[in-house]
Structure formats: C-alpha cells, structure tokens
Amino acid sequence: MTTLTKNKITESFLEAAHLTKAENLVALQQKGIDFLKNEGLPAQKAEEYKFTHLSKKLEANISNFGAASKASLNAEQVKAELIADLDAHLLVFNNGQLDLELSSFSEDNYTLKSFADLSAEEAQKIGTIAKVEKDPFAALNTTSFEQGTYIHIAKGKVVEKPFQVLYFNQANGGQVISPRIYIDAEANTEATFIEKIISLDEAAYFLNSVTEVKVSDNSHLHYYKIQNESTSAIEVNNFVTDIHRDATFSAFTLSLQGDMIRNNLSLNLLDSGCEGNMYGLYLLDGNSHVDNHTNVDHTMPHADSNELYKGILGDKSRGVFNGKIFVRQDAQKTNAFQQNNNILLSDDAIINTKPQLEIWADDVKCSHGCTTGQLDDEALFYLQARGIGKEEARGLLLYAFAGEILDHIKIEAFKEYCISLVQERLGNL
Amino acid sequence: MLSIKNLHASIEGTPILKGINLEIKPGEVHAIMGPNGSGKSTLASVLAGREEYEVTEGEVTFNGKDLLDLNPEDRAREGVFLAFQYPVEIPGVSTTNFLRTAVNQVREYRGQEQLDAVKFLSLMKEKMKLVEIDQKLMSRALNEGFSGGEKKRNEIFQMAMLEPTLSILDETDSGLDIDALRIVSNGVNQLKSPDNATIVVTHYQRLLDYIVPDFVHVLYKGRIVKSGSKELALDLEEKGYDWIKEDVDGASV
C-alpha cells in the first residue's frame, strides 16, 4: 500500500524495488520493502536526520531509481586510483557490484563470494547486524542491492595483506548505487580493509551502502575509509559491526568532499574484553556536507571504546557530529571516551555537534567533550614572530590539529597517502 | 640600528602609546621599565608586528628599513626577535620541527643555505647548552605542558637559534625563581655582541642585576618620561614609581 508512505521519494524508490537474484534473501528484501512502506525515508523533521535533509536532496537530484548499470571502466582508470606502495588484495566495485575482471586478489586465508552463491546458513546472517528497522537507508539498501559480496575469514586465519576496496561510482542520470557487503571474521582472525570511494564523473549519484561486519572472539579488524567524491555525490553508508569477546575493531574515516554524505557507524560491543575505536577527520570546503552519526553500544562488563573526530571547515561547508554512547546496566567497568573538535575557517561554515550518553551502569568511566573554535591567532602570531610565513604557519597549525587523527593509521603506505591528501586540502582551505 | 620616532599606537581605538622616541645602537642594552599598564608590552608587541595594535602616528626604522611596513615574519627574518611574555602552547607541533622550519625560513630570506637535519641538530645541541634546556623538551609539542621556567628558557633558546640583531625580552623574568632567572640571564648575556642590541622590558629591577643595561627608560602613560643609566633602576627599586607619576601628573595639570 504505497499510500502509507511518508514522502514522494520513498514511493519512487519502492516502485523501483527489485528482487535480488539470491533467492535466499528475498524474504529479507521483503522486510526492507515493508519497513519503507510503513516508515518511509526521513521526513524534514526526523530527529536523526534533522541537519541532513536527505529526502529533499534525493528528490532534487536523483531520477534513475532502477538497478545501477555497469560502467565502462578500464584497468588504467583503476590503476590511477591505487594507493602507491600498498601491497593489497584489490576489490573493485563498479557501480556497487564487485567487478571480478578488474579486481585482483588471491583467496589466501579467506574466501569471497557473491550473495547468490550463499548457503542457506550463510544467507541467514545477512541483515542480522545491519537491521532494516535501525535505519531507513539500511532498509532501502536491502530493497535494492543486486549482488552482495560476502567475505569469510576462517577461524584462526590472518589475512596479511590489507584489502584495497575501490568503489567506482557513475552518475548515469542520477542513479542509485547500492553495494552490500558482509564481512564474517571468525574467531582469532585478523584483517585490514582500506576503502576508497571514487566518482567517475561530476554529476549526482546516490551511493547507499551497507556493510555488516562480524568480529568474532579475539579477532582484530581495522577498517579505513576515504570519502573524496565529486561535489555532486550523495552518499549514505550504514556500517554496523558486532564485536565479540576480546575482539578489537577500529574504524577510520577521512571525508574530504561530497555534496551530502551521511555516515552511520555503529559498534555493538557484545562481550567482555572487547574494544571499539572510531577515528574521523573531515576537512571540507565549498558546499560539502558531511554528517557522522556514530553509535557505541556497551552491553557487557569490561569493554572499552575510544572515539575521536576532528573537523576543519571552510567556505560554506557543513559538518555534523552526533555521537551516541549507550552503557547498559550489565556493562560495569566500561571505559568510554568520546571527543569531537572543530575549527571553523569561515563565517559561513557550520558545525552541529552533539554527544549523547546514556549510562545505566554505575561503575564506569565515561567522558565526552566537544570544542569548536577558530584558528588560534595568538599561535599564528607566535609562529610568524619566529620567521615562519603566514601561509606556512597556518598550514603547520591546521596540520597539527588534523595529524592527531592520522597518527592512528597503522598501515604506513596508506598513512603517507592520507598525509598527502590532507596536506593538499589544507593548502587550499 | 633601531630608531623610534613619535610612535603612537592604539588598540580597538584606545590610544596606548602616545609619542615614543628611542634610539638604539648596536651593542647596547636598553631596559624599559614602568608601572603596570604604562604601555611596555604594547611597545614590544608593536615592534614585533602584532596585528591587534594600530600604529596611528610616527615611524620606526630598523637598519634603514621601515619596520612598520613589514609583516611579522619579515621582521623576524630581518633580525627582530620578541621573547614572549606568555609563550604560546602549540599542540601537535614539536619544538624541533617548528624550529627547523623557522631557522630555514629565516636563512632562506637572508640568502643562507638551508640546514639539513644533521647540521640543524648539531646547531641545536650547541645552543641548548646556553640555556640548559632538556633534550626531552625538544621532541615534545611546542611549550605544551612546559613549566613557566621551561617556557622562558625555550624563548631564549629560540633566540639563540635565530641569531637576531635586536632582541626584545618582554617580561621574560616574570614568574621566574632565582635559579631560572640566572640561567635565562646567562643565556642572554652570552648572546650579547657588539653587533646586536637588546631591549629588556621588565617590571622588576632584579633582572637588571644580571642583564646590566646601558640605559634605563621609564614608560608611563604611553610616553618615555625619564631616561638614565642603570642607577635609575635602583632608584625605582627603592622609591617605586610614585615619584615619577607625581612628576608627570603634576606637570601636566
């Protein structure tokens, strides 16, 4: 009953909803459709999306609601985007679908398959971590993903080389691109993912991705992401992890450009001894809008979470940071730290920052804080008074601010790459 | 070397300096004293090029150049050094990195070759001895978490690294205990040469026992109201500033 939907854009999406080729997942998709029918995409006043009006943005820019077509993409284009000196398993996503011809990986210590080839047992897992009812865009992705990708790391295996995951996205008349990934890391495993999102042209597309990650007991996963898209790119990504006993998960997000980007990052700390880390850096100019919504759920005793997000905003850019921390009654001896610091370089730049802590346990250490300021004139003068040119001094100060986040990158080649991107951006801010 | 003529400066429309005249020659040490709010730090800030102050009248020439026409970094490169009253803490920038950038930018301006890492470190080691500064501070973020004494020593250390021709010490002695004061003064004295000059801005005579001035000037209400030899500082120590205030305020009535 489309009459129940809340807004026009939801109807357009629902009309285009198409069943996946993976029969095991049809029931899940139907759940997504039902959810959207009942709830719709967020209305203007929806609390969770009140600074990031995606429905309006999509209505104005997206018109091709059908399945995304495959872009003509060649090896040269892929090569141009590779991170220098990074020895990695290369996964290339072409408009949301894994492109096996352009990818290059050897399945040592892990296996990779399309959702269409999942066993009934494996298919059961999809949608259990990123649940449709948690977020309307996760539900939307569920109605329209084509061939999801399932990565399985068997018990005790260490994937030595990182995965380099390149998402190539094409506008194609304002199309919708819906990648869906499930990473199943069994107990005692280790892996690192480096994801880069690339726009193939300058027009608008809507990239609506869902990544579900299961980090089983005593496993250690690192996930790095760079968002440096076209100024027309619209993106929502729902990234949800279940973190089990003694496991560690670290997320790093560097956002440099996009028309409107919303990152929903959720860490479910499901057992004792586990640790979740979230680091984010957004350096924005022009009209870029980046919204980081993070969610940490402490459910059991003796788990730690650390969160540090920093932003530098110039021109008419806008940043949103919303950090939720839940500490449930059983989660005694929790350590949860959250910090968000911002520098506004122009009068027209905006940051909305909001920590949200809900603590039900009584023996915990939790802290949060946020600051928003301008570049420190006194510090600038101090450096100038020592003979350092104003531009150089400004760069030094901004880089010092941003560098604290980059220090959390553990892969040297990737760190170098990020440093060069950050320095280039700071030079122009 | 430095010639200040009829210098007037104001901050947010409030006049602070109301006609300063001062001539400084190479090799000289000038002390500028005066009660709180007399404009001592303003004078130091105006010379270093702090933007909040507006020069409304007068001129300052430094080695023949119009100093007021230069931006702060070029003043530093020309050889003016301000030791800050309150050195700024700069998280994320290590003292070593900061100084290497500064030294090389100054050298570039002066047409000297850049120092590579090895030469820079050996220069640093040599200068560190002057102010007995701990190597550990060098790898830490600039001034962050430094004690008051460490910050002031770091100022003099930076001065030693940049080899200025005119050093302005803005209340470098404030808050220092006697040991730190000796170390800082000793550093300044060792850097003195017939080619460079020092302006010592201070509230207390005690510093001048260690850094002996050739001239002492008393600043009051934005003007130099009295100049003399180092004995003037001793008079001020004994009698305070009231007699000077009375002289000036009485005369102007």
Side-chain angles (χ1 to χ4, degrees):
Chain A
M1 287 274 289
T2 51
T3 46
L4 280 171
T5 57
K6 307 282 190 217
N7 48 26
K8 204 174 83 198
I9 190 81
T10 310
E11 281 180 34
S12 305
F13 278 114
L14 279 171
E15 279 164 23
H18 37 275
L19 294 184
T20 170
K21 291 170 189 124
E23 283 174 27
N24 283 329
L25 296 170
V26 170
L28 174 66
Q29 283 199 295
Q30 192 55 50
K31 249 171 94 178
I33 291 169
D34 292 344
F35 179 84
L36 269 196
K37 275 185 184 165
N38 290 323
E39 303 292 329
L41 292 178
Q44 196 89 328
K45 286 179 183 156
E47 181 62 25
E48 287 298 304
Y49 285 86
K50 73 172 175 185
F51 298 117
T52 303
H53 299 141
L54 273 155
S55 298
K56 202 173 138 198
K57 181 64 82 179
L58 293 169
E59 257 170 33
N61 293 283
I62 298 303
S63 48
N64 183 354
F65 296 94
S69 61
K70 194 173 171 182
S72 67
L73 186 63
N74 61 45
E76 284 302 306
Q77 285 169 288
V78 172
K79 206 176 151 196
E81 295 295 340
L82 291 177
I83 294 162
D85 303 321
L86 183 72
D87 187 15
H89 301 281
L90 175 64
L91 306 183
V92 173
F93 284 82
N94 181 332
N95 283 339
Q97 306 299 308
L98 184 64
D99 188 327
L100 285 170
E101 278 167 41
L102 293 171
S103 296
S104 159
F105 57 89
S106 53
E107 293 174 85
D108 44 354
N109 291 348
Y110 68 94
T111 56
L112 189 149
K113 55 180 153 181
S114 161
F115 278 8
D117 301 326
L118 294 181
S119 69
E121 193 193 342
E122 286 163 340
Q124 285 293 319
K125 298 178 181 181
I126 312 301
T128 56
I129 299 175
K131 299 184 173 82
V132 292
E133 64 273 18
K134 289 283 184 186
D135 181 81
F137 291 99
L140 177 61
N141 171 285
T142 306
T143 67
S144 40
F145 65 77
E146 297 279 305
Q147 304 259 14
T149 301
Y150 178 85
I151 298 172
H152 179 250
I153 305 167
K155 211 169 179 175
K157 300 291 187 187
V158 173
V159 183
E160 298 278 356
K161 289 195 280 185
F163 290 89
Q164 179 166 206
V165 187
L166 302 182
Y167 282 96
F168 286 91
N169 304 291
Q170 192 185 36
N172 201 17
Q175 73 176 349
V176 185
I177 300 168
S178 310
R180 179 89 182 206
I181 314 290
Y182 190 101
I183 299 170
D184 191 357
E186 287 199 35
N188 299 314
T189 57
E190 283 183 36
T192 297
F193 293 80
I194 294 171
E195 175 186 315
K196 194 175 152 187
I197 300 176
I198 299 140
S199 303
L200 283 168
D201 41 36
E202 291 301 314
Y205 56 76
F206 176 39
L207 174 63
N208 182 35
S209 74
V210 172
T211 307
E212 298 178 78
V213 185
K214 183 183 181 195
V215 193
S216 305
D217 292 1
N218 203 34
S219 286
H220 303 278
L221 252 73
H222 300 273
Y223 205 103
Y224 301 95
K225 186 195 285 280
I226 297 182
Q227 296 166 317
N228 192 12
E229 296 167 67
S230 81
T231 53
S232 309
I234 306 167
E235 181 189 343
V236 175
N237 74 78
N238 275 286
F239 194 109
V240 191
T241 62
D242 278 357
I243 306 170
H244 293 268
R245 194 176 183 92
D246 301 324
T248 309
F249 176 81
S250 299
F252 167 93
T253 311
L254 173 61
S255 309
L256 296 172
Q257 189 165 281
D259 182 7
M260 185 175 273
I261 295 178
R262 165 66 173 249
N263 296 316
N264 292 326
L265 174 62
S266 292
L267 271 51
N268 300 318
L269 300 171
L270 297 178
D271 210 334
S272 293
C274 64
E275 181 183 318
N277 303 305
M278 292 178 280
Y279 305 106
L281 183 61
Y282 38 101
L283 310 174
L284 307 176
D285 61 6
N287 290 299
S288 287
H289 176 131
V290 172
D291 177 348
N292 282 297
H293 262 62
T294 66
N295 192 342
V296 188
D297 194 356
H298 283 265
T299 60
M300 296 291 277
H302 292 287
D304 296 347
S305 66
N306 299 291
E307 178 168 24
L308 178 61
Y309 272 73
K310 284 188 161 188
I312 302 176
L313 299 114
D315 299 338
K316 293 181 170 174
S317 64
R318 183 167 193 167
V320 180
F321 173 81
N322 187 300
K324 274 187 205 159
I325 301 176
F326 289 100
V327 181
R328 296 182 191 264
Q329 203 161 9
D330 288 340
Q332 300 294 358
K333 304 287 181 189
T334 286
N335 289 310
F337 302 104
Q338 181 191 89
Q339 186 73 33
N340 174 234
N341 305 110
N342 301 285
I343 293 179
L344 300 180
L345 293 178
S346 93
D347 291 342
D348 297 323
I350 297 173
I351 177 78
N352 301 101
T353 174
K354 183 180 172 192
Q356 276 180 282
L357 276 69
E358 270 187 44
I359 301 172
W360 302 96
D362 55 14
D363 184 12
V364 300
K365 265 189 226 163
C366 294
S367 73
H368 67 92
C370 54
T371 62
T372 299
Q374 285 147 354
L375 197 61
D376 183 351
D377 284 338
E378 188 63 19
L380 197 60
F381 176 64
Y382 189 68
L383 297 181
Q384 285 180 273
R386 296 298 176 255
I388 301 175
K390 191 172 189 177
E391 284 309 306
E392 181 103 15
R394 203 167 171 271
L396 257 177
L397 292 174
L398 292 177
Y399 186 78
F401 176 82
E404 191 185 356
I405 303 287
L406 301 178
D407 286 344
H408 290 286
I409 302 176
K410 295 196 186 334
I411 307 279
E412 206 47 45
F414 179 64
K415 188 173 180 176
E416 288 301 316
Y417 178 72
C418 288
I419 288 172
S420 67
L421 284 179
V422 166
Q423 279 177 336
E424 189 189 335
R425 169 51 53 89
L426 293 180
N428 298 321
L429 263 178
Chain B
M1 174 186 281
L2 182 76
S3 169
I4 303 175
K5 287 190 180 127
N6 192 33
L7 181 65
H8 288 66
S10 58
I11 185 163
E12 288 168 356
T14 309
I16 310 283
L17 302 183
K18 299 167 185 167
I20 303 270
N21 292 290
L22 187 63
E23 295 287 331
I24 294 178
K25 295 191 181 66
E28 293 177 350
V29 176
H30 290 245
I32 294 182
M33 304 187 70
N36 285 329
S38 59
K40 301 189 300 286
S41 282
T42 299
L43 177 60
S45 293
V46 167
L47 293 178
R50 198 185 282 274
E51 270 175 16
E52 301 95 280
Y53 296 95
E54 194 196 347
V55 173
T56 50
E57 214 183 319
E59 57 183 66
V60 180
T61 52
F62 177 65
N63 288 331
K65 287 194 175 146
D66 180 358
L67 189 71
L68 300 177
D69 198 34
L70 298 174
N71 58 34
E73 55 268 37
D74 283 345
R75 295 182 197 201
R77 294 161 180 172
E78 287 286 344
V80 176
F81 181 91
L82 171 67
F84 280 54
Q85 183 178 4
Y86 304 110
V88 184
E89 297 195 8
I90 304 188
V93 178
S94 79
T95 306
T96 305
N97 262 346
F98 149 73
L99 263 178
R100 198 169 160 209
T101 309
V103 166
N104 277 331
Q105 290 215 349
V106 168
R107 291 181 69 90
E108 190 183 341
Y109 183 87
R110 294 177 187 168
Q112 297 163 311
E113 60 165 340
Q114 302 279 293
L115 294 184
D116 61 26
V118 176
K119 281 185 185 152
F120 175 78
L121 286 175
S122 72
L123 177 70
M124 213 170 83
K125 283 226 164 78
E126 176 199 325
K127 304 290 188 187
M128 277 163 60
K129 286 185 201 136
L130 276 179
V131 282
E132 301 170 36
I133 200 160
D134 192 337
Q135 173 83 47
K136 279 185 220 136
L137 295 181
M138 296 297 109
S139 52
R140 279 173 46 188
L142 184 54
N143 292 326
E144 196 183 35
F146 286 25
S147 71
E150 285 169 338
K151 282 180 185 167
K152 296 296 174 83
R153 269 192 272 173
N154 195 16
E155 292 294 289
I156 305 306
F157 168 60
Q158 291 171 34
M159 177 176 141
M161 290 295 288
L162 294 168
E163 300 175 338
T165 43
L166 175 68
S167 303
I168 305 161
L169 310 182
D170 187 8
E171 304 210 13
T172 298
D173 53 328
S174 298
L176 292 188
D177 62 26
I178 198 75
D179 288 335
L181 187 68
R182 270 198 207 109
I183 293 168
V184 164
S185 311
N186 187 33
V188 173
N189 288 331
Q190 287 193 55
L191 293 169
K192 240 165 62 177
S193 84
D195 301 321
N196 61 30
T198 311
I199 298 175
V200 182
V201 175
T202 182
H203 194 65
Y204 307 103
Q205 187 273 335
R206 193 178 62 163
L207 175 67
L208 305 180
D209 290 341
Y210 298 94
I211 303 172
V212 181
D214 300 301
F215 302 94
V216 174
H217 311 279
V218 179
L219 202 59
Y220 180 56
K221 289 191 172 171
R223 286 195 192 95
I224 292 177
V225 294
K226 205 165 185 59
S227 293
S229 62
K230 64 183 180 194
E231 282 73 26
L232 177 57
L234 296 170
D235 282 354
L236 291 169
E237 174 75 1
E238 197 184 320
K239 298 196 266 183
Y241 289 106
D242 286 350
W243 61 285
I244 288 185
K245 289 184 189 173
E246 279 163 23
D247 270 10
V248 176
D249 295 339
S252 63
V253 169

